[in-house]
Amino acid sequence: MIPQLKSLDVWFITGSQDLYGAETLKKVAEHSTEIASSLSASKTIPVNVVFKPVVKSSEEVLKAMQEANNDKNCIGVICWMHTFSPAKMWINGLKILSKPLLHFHTQFNRDIPWNTIDMDFMNLNQSAHGDREFGFITARMNINRKVVVGHWQDEESLEKINSWCRAAAAWQDWQGARFVRFGDNMRYVAVTEGDKVEAEIKFGYSVNTYGIADLVAVVNQISEKEIDQLVDTYQKEYQLQAELLKGGAAHSSLRAAAKIELGIEKFLVDGNFKGFTDTFEDLNGLEQLPGIAAQRLMAKGFGFAGEGDWKTAALVRAMKVMGSGLQGGNSFMEDYTYHFQPDNRMVLGAHMLEICPSIAEGKPSCEVHPLGIGGKADPVRLVFNTTPGAALNASIVDMGNRFRLLVNEVMAVKPIQALPLLPVARVLWKPYPNMHTGCAAWILAGGAHHTCYSQNLTREHLEDFAEIAGIEFTLIGKNTELSSFKNELKWSDVYYKISH
C-alpha cells in the first residue's frame, strides 16, 4: 500500500556553461555522476538519485525541467552549480518546474588542496559562488525550495537530503490521491470542516463523500471463508480476549468486526482510495463502529481519521509515506485528558477506538467493550500502550485564507500506573517546551484536537513537506516562548493577507 521509496527517482541536475570548454565540462560531468551515484547508493537516502546531463544553456534547462515534470517516477529535482552557471538561463525552466526542488550547495572536493591549488582548480571548482548565483534567481522568483549546505559525503548533508526526499515522496503520493468520507463529518464540529475544493487545488488530492449504504453493500458481499481467514489472522497476531475466542460469548462480534474490515478494505482498493474517515453519527447498516478495522487499515498504510476529519486522514497517509522504512510508526491521535500533577504534567492521547498498532509497544490485546456513544453493538478494538521516546504531533488546519501545518514536539513516557479499566490504545506524552506553554501555543494557533502522532519523523520532515506544499509551518518545540510565538502568528497573518 505504501510505495517502495527506492522505486522513486530524484533527478540530479548540475549547472555550468559552455564558456569553460570541453575538458572542464567533461570533469564537471564526471564529478556530478560520482556525486549522484554516491547519493543513490547511500543507505541514508531512501530513493534513487539519477544523474542527468549537465545543463549549459536556457534551452537545456527548459528541456530538463519539462522532462522532470513529465516523468511520473521523478518526485523531485536536486540542483547543484559545479561552476558558475549564469542564472538567467534557469528562468524559463524554473518557471515551469512543478516538482519539488532542493538546492544542494556543495562542492566536489571536501578540502582545499593547499599545496597544489592553482587557477585551473579554481576555474573548475566554483560552487561557492556559482550556487550563490543560482540562489539569487530562486529567491528572486520566490520559488519554494530546500537549501542544503555541506559536503556530499557528510552524514549531516545526507540526513537533510533524506528528510527532503521523504517529504517529496509524500507530496508525490498526494497528487491525484483519493480519500473517501463515509457519511459527513460530526455534526456542529468546526475543525473537521474545511474547503475541499481549495485542498484539491493546493494539495492535489480529492475528498468525496459516499453514503454508508454504499459501504454496507460491499461489506455484505464478504464471504464466510474470508471472515474465517481474517479471524485466524487476529488469533495469530494479537492476544484475544477470552470472550472473543471461538465458542466465546462475543465471538460473533469478532466476526462482525472482521467482516467490516474486509468490506472497507475492498471498498478502498476497488475505488483506488488512499484513506478514509467515518463517524459514529452515521452508521446505518453496520453492526458496530469500525475499530480494529480502522486500526489495521492504518497499519497497512491507509490514512484515517475519525468524525469525518478528511484533512487529518490525508495527513496520516502522507506521514506514513514519509516514515516508510523507518523504525516506529504514525497514527491518528487525539489529545484526550490531562495529568496536571505539578512535577509530572502530561497528556493522555487516545481515541474511542482507532489508534494504529504501528506505534504499539509489545503485542496488542484484542478486546470488545461497550462504547457508550453511537448506539451500536459493542465494537472490537486493539488495546495497547506505546513505546516511549521522542515523538511529535502534527495537524493541518484550515485558517480560511490558508492551510497551517502545526507541529508540537513531545516526549512519550511510560504510564506511571496501570490503566486496567481503560479499554483503548493510548499514549502518554509531555509536550515541549512544557505543558503550560505547549498547550497554550497549540490553542493560540488554532490547532485541531485531531492529529497525526509520529514516532519516526522530525520537525524537519514536516517543515520540508510544508515548504513543498507552499503552506504555513508553525512549530511548538523545546525553545518556544509564548510571547514570541504570539508574534509569529501575527506575522504569519500579515504575510498571508499581503501575499494572497
Side-chain angles (χ1 to χ4, degrees):
M1 183 57 202
I2 295 292
Q4 294 294 318
L5 298 190
K6 267 299 180 185
S7 68
L8 304 174
D9 295 337
V10 165
W11 287 13
F12 191 87
I13 300 176
T14 305
S16 187
Q17 58 181 328
D18 282 319
L19 177 68
Y20 296 108
E23 185 176 345
T24 297
L25 291 174
K26 181 181 178 182
K27 277 291 184 186
V28 169
E30 289 175 358
H31 290 173
S32 299
T33 301
E34 184 173 344
I35 293 175
S37 297
S38 177
L39 294 178
S40 194
S42 169
K43 293 181 179 180
T44 305
I45 306 298
V47 302
N48 288 321
V49 179
V50 181
F51 166 77
K52 289 295 174 178
V54 177
V55 292
K56 308 175 295 297
S57 66
S58 298
E59 293 75 19
E60 291 177 358
V61 171
L62 180 61
K63 182 175 182 289
M65 299 309 183
Q66 288 172 332
E67 290 174 349
N69 287 343
N70 293 330
D71 191 310
K72 294 181 179 180
N73 216 48
C74 174
I75 64 169
V77 172
I78 297 175
C79 287
W80 170 52
M81 307 303 113
H82 191 312
T83 61
F84 193 81
S85 180
K88 287 170 67 176
M89 78 181 220
W90 287 87
I91 292 174
N92 288 334
L94 291 173
K95 279 170 62 177
I96 60 98
L97 179 64
S98 61
K99 299 291 176 77
L101 173 65
L102 183 145
H103 180 192
F104 194 12
H105 186 39
T106 188
Q107 62 185 29
F108 183 73
N109 57 297
R110 192 194 70 174
D111 303 329
I112 294 173
W114 304 102
N115 295 324
T116 60
I117 188 170
D118 56 18
M119 283 312 299
D120 287 338
F121 181 93
M122 297 280 276
N123 191 46
L124 173 63
N125 299 283
Q126 300 186 45
S127 303
H129 71 285
D131 275 325
R132 282 172 165 76
E133 172 78 354
F134 184 77
F136 164 75
I137 205 63
T138 50
R140 176 68 176 80
M141 296 173 69
N142 196 27
I143 291 174
N144 293 342
R145 76 281 191 201
K146 180 172 187 173
V147 178
V148 175
V149 179
H151 193 253
W152 52 278
Q153 292 176 317
D154 288 349
E155 190 59 32
E156 183 180 5
S157 300
L158 297 177
E159 285 292 352
K160 291 180 179 298
I161 296 172
N162 166 37
S163 172
W164 174 83
C165 288
R166 291 179 175 278
W171 179 252
Q172 176 85 346
D173 186 74
W174 262 12
Q175 304 315 299
R178 304 178 70 207
F179 294 89
V180 57
R181 293 197 308 165
F182 295 118
D184 204 350
N185 71 306
M186 185 177 173
R187 298 177 194 122
Y188 297 105
V189 177
V191 75
T192 55
E193 292 278 14
D195 189 336
K196 295 190 290 293
V197 173
E198 183 61 25
E200 187 163 356
I201 294 170
K202 193 70 178 173
F203 298 134
Y205 65 74
S206 63
V207 182
N208 287 290
T209 297
Y210 286 75
I212 199 70
D214 296 325
L215 173 59
V216 171
V218 178
V219 171
N220 288 338
Q221 295 173 15
I222 302 302
S223 69
E224 292 299 311
K225 182 179 179 180
E226 291 173 291
I227 295 172
D228 290 340
Q229 292 172 340
L230 185 52
V231 168
D232 286 343
T233 298
Y234 291 164
Q235 292 174 333
K236 292 174 184 176
E237 295 186 1
Y238 314 117
Q239 185 66 45
L240 260 63
Q241 195 178 36
E243 297 94 312
L244 294 174
L245 295 171
K246 191 170 184 178
H251 185 66
S252 60
S253 294
L254 187 67
R255 294 185 65 82
K259 184 177 182 179
I260 291 170
E261 178 184 335
L262 291 163
I264 294 176
E265 185 168 12
K266 178 174 173 55
F267 192 103
L268 296 176
V269 171
D270 290 352
N272 194 29
F273 293 107
K274 292 183 176 178
F276 72 104
T277 178
D278 59 21
T279 171
F280 59 84
E281 289 184 322
D282 205 345
L283 288 174
N284 289 333
L286 292 181
E287 287 188 40
Q288 56 184 261
L289 181 65
I292 191 172
Q295 292 178 293
R296 283 174 48 83
L297 289 169
M298 264 192 288
K300 290 183 177 181
F302 290 99
F304 173 81
E307 289 103 53
D309 188 353
W310 52 271
K311 296 187 296 297
T312 302
L315 181 61
V316 169
R317 167 67 184 193
M319 291 175 66
K320 283 187 172 291
V321 173
M322 274 186 266
S324 177
L326 299 177
Q327 186 175 0
N330 294 272
S331 176
F332 170 55
M333 188 59 66
E334 181 173 274
D335 296 56
Y336 231 97
T337 194
Y338 292 146
H339 185 66
F340 272 132
Q341 181 182 345
D343 61 347
N344 194 26
R345 299 183 181 96
M346 65 185 85
V347 179
L348 174 64
H351 203 252
M352 294 183 298
L353 303 169
E354 312 100 337
I355 301 300
C356 180
S358 68
I359 66 171
E361 182 178 46
K363 190 174 186 178
S365 174
C366 184
E367 304 178 12
V368 61
H369 299 277
L371 184 59
I373 194 168
K376 289 290 180 179
D378 299 346
V380 176
R381 80 292 303 269
L382 299 175
V383 178
F384 52 84
N385 291 320
T386 58
T387 305
L392 60 79
N393 278 301
S395 177
I396 286 186
V397 289
D398 187 341
M399 299 302 294
N401 65 336
R402 84 272 195 187
F403 291 97
R404 169 180 286 163
L405 178 55
L406 179 62
V407 173
N408 185 196
E409 296 174 318
V410 305
M411 180 60 68
V413 297
K414 284 183 175 293
I416 55 178
Q417 295 185 37
L419 300 161
L421 299 181
L422 184 63
V424 294
R426 59 273 178 149
V427 57
L428 283 154
W429 68 75
K430 296 184 177 183
Y432 284 116
N434 56 63
M435 187 83 160
H436 291 161
T437 301
C439 293
W442 189 274
I443 289 171
L444 286 166
H449 59 284
H450 288 167
T451 63
C452 180
Y453 174 87
S454 178
Q455 297 171 322
N456 56 20
L457 299 177
T458 67
R459 55 80 59 87
E460 187 169 6
H461 292 101
L462 277 299
E463 187 171 7
D464 287 347
F465 187 74
E467 186 70 41
I468 290 169
I471 62 173
E472 179 186 3
F473 175 80
T474 305
L475 175 70
I476 305 168
K478 296 178 182 179
N479 299 317
T480 296
E481 295 180 356
L482 213 52
S483 57
S484 298
F485 188 79
K486 289 178 184 179
N487 284 333
E488 289 174 17
L489 295 178
K490 292 175 183 176
W491 298 334
S492 291
D493 284 338
V494 172
Y495 169 78
Y496 281 95
K497 286 174 183 175
I498 292 173
S499 64
H500 291 72

